[in-house]
Amino acid sequence: MKYLVTLILFLASIISLQAQTEVCDGDLCVVQFNAAFNTANEVTWLNELTDCSQSTVDIMADPTLPAEYKIVVVPTILVLDNGEEVARFQANIMMTMEATREEVQESIDEIIMSKF
């Protein structure tokens, strides 16, 4: 019985490692971290950004993400270059994003230009 419990715990840990959320799928990506309770304040213009990949992550789906990416308020938008954070845009106290699409796009454009 002890071996069965150990096996079950081992398999559960493997499954949880495989279930971790992939937040970035490209060299330059923009990730919106939000939560199910805050969908009313979701950034709707994320897919309008150019020259980068975009994704939205629900921090409630993977509880390791807030600590890993230092998310203290939702929504938070991170611009990642090869997995490294290069820009951060956070919501105000009312959990609404004050940064505009133009500001985030400007950040993306600066990163691209700095590579030349």
Side-chain angles (χ1 to χ4, degrees):
M1 183 68 169
K2 185 168 104 176
Y3 295 112
L4 179 61
V5 171
T6 304
L7 178 63
I8 290 172
L9 290 174
F10 176 73
L11 292 175
S13 67
I14 290 174
I15 292 170
S16 69
L17 287 175
Q18 291 175 344
Q20 287 182 342
T21 305
E22 182 69 31
V23 298
C24 188
D25 62 355
D27 293 338
L28 183 60
C29 60
V30 177
V31 183
Q32 173 184 201
F33 293 87
N34 206 354
F37 63 82
N38 194 41
T39 56
N41 294 321
E42 186 171 83
V43 174
T44 58
W45 43 258
L46 199 68
N47 62 351
E48 297 174 22
L49 298 171
T50 60
D51 301 319
C52 64
S53 60
Q54 309 91 16
S55 65
T56 298
V57 176
D58 182 354
I59 63 169
M60 304 296 283
D62 187 344
T64 64
L65 292 177
E68 182 179 347
Y69 289 95
K70 298 176 179 71
I71 305 301
V72 295
V73 64
V74 290
T76 294
I77 295 175
L78 297 184
V79 180
L80 304 173
D81 187 18
N82 292 316
E84 296 290 323
E85 179 182 332
V86 291
R88 176 181 290 255
F89 302 90
Q90 293 180 307
N92 60 23
I93 195 165
M94 299 299 294
M95 293 194 291
T96 59
M97 181 60 63
E98 290 183 346
T100 64
R101 180 185 60 79
E102 290 79 15
E103 291 172 323
V104 177
Q105 186 66 57
E106 183 177 313
S107 178
I108 294 164
D109 294 342
E110 288 174 6
I111 293 164
I112 293 171
M113 292 305 292
S114 71
K115 294 181 179 185
F116 289 103

